[in-house]
Amino acid sequence: MIGRTIRNQTALALLIALSVAAAAYAQTPVLTPSTLTVTPGGSVSATVTGAAGRQYAVIGSTTSSGFAYGGVNLAVGPDVVVLASGVLNAGGTASVAFTPPFQGNTPARYFTQAVTSTSPNFVPLTAGASVVLQNAAVVGSLPIVAIGNPNGTLQFGSQGVSISRNGPGSYRINYAGLVTAPFVPLITPIGARILGSFYSATGIDLTLDVDAFFTVLVFPVRP
C-alpha cells in the first residue's frame, strides 16, 4: 500500500513537472514597443517578454504575410529583416531598439513580430502577435476600411485591422495605432439594425440586433 502511494505521488510529481515544462515551452512571446507611431528616421525601444533563457528575435517587414520559417507562417513578408536578437534573461525579458525604414511618406506601416526558440537556429519557434508601427508622416491621413462577417471574422480590411465577435450581434473592430483622433466613423450593417456603438482611437464596439454582415469606414479628420 505504501509502495503504491509512493508510486502515485511520483507519477503525480512527474505529471506536474511535465505540465509546467509544456506550459513554458508554449509560452508565446510578446513584443511591447514604446510607441506605435514613429517619425521617419526615428528609433523605437521595445520589450520582448517570453520564457526565460529562450533565444529571441524581433523581425520586421513592410508587408504582413507571405513568409514562413521552420514550417510556421509568420506575420511578415518576403522582405523580412532581423531587427534584434539575443537571449531572454532570467526574468524572461529583453530590451531592444531598432529603426523602422520610414522615409518620407513610405511605407505607411511597418509590421514587426517577436519569435522565440530553444534553438539558436530557431527550429522549432514560437511566434508572437504582429505589432503594426505607423509612419508619423501619414498617420491621420489614411482612411480605415473593414468588412465584417456575421461570425466576427474579417472578410476584407485595411492592414492591421481585426474583428472579433463577443456574442450575438456584438462585435469589436480593432484598429489600434492606425488612426489618431479626431476621426469620423461610418458603420453600415446589412440586414440588421444598430443597437449601439462606442468608438475610440483604438477601435469600435458595435452591437447589432442580429448577427450580420457590416462595413466600417473610419475617416481621419485633419485638425
Side-chain angles (χ1 to χ4, degrees), residues 176-199:
L178 299 183
V179 298
T180 55
F183 58 93
V184 177
L186 175 62
I187 306 168
T188 306
I190 302 174
R193 293 185 300 108
I194 297 176
L195 298 182
S197 64
F198 175 81
Y199 50 88

Side-chain angles (χ1 to χ4, degrees), residues 52-142:
R54 290 288 181 86
Q55 301 281 336
Y56 76 85
V58 178
I59 55 180
S61 170
T62 59
T63 55
S64 60
S65 62
F67 182 80
Y69 183 83
V72 178
N73 292 322
L74 300 173
V76 290
D79 65 339
V80 59
V81 297
V82 177
L83 301 169
S85 63
V87 178
L88 296 177
N89 63 23
T93 65
S95 297
V96 301
F98 54 89
T99 301
F102 294 140
Q103 297 183 359
N105 293 336
T106 59
R109 304 182 182 99
Y110 193 61
F111 300 88
T112 60
Q113 186 176 27
V115 297
T116 57
S117 178
T118 55
S119 171
N121 66 0
F122 286 85
V123 178
L125 65 77
T126 303
S130 174
V131 177
V132 185
L133 302 179
Q134 302 300 305
N135 186 337
V138 297
V139 165
S141 64
L142 299 176

Side-chain angles (χ1 to χ4, degrees), residues 31-39 42-47 98 100 102 110 112 131-134 136 139 177:
L31 177 64
T32 307
S34 57
T35 181
L36 293 174
T37 305
V38 187
T39 301
S43 64
V44 177
S45 58
T47 300
F98 54 89
F102 294 140
Y110 193 61
T112 60
V131 177
V132 185
L133 302 179
Q134 302 300 305
V139 165

Side-chain angles (χ1 to χ4, degrees), residues 164-182:
S164 60
R165 179 178 179 273
N166 301 320
S170 177
Y171 302 95
R172 168 70 180 181
I173 302 94
N174 182 65
Y175 44 75
L178 299 183
V179 298
T180 55

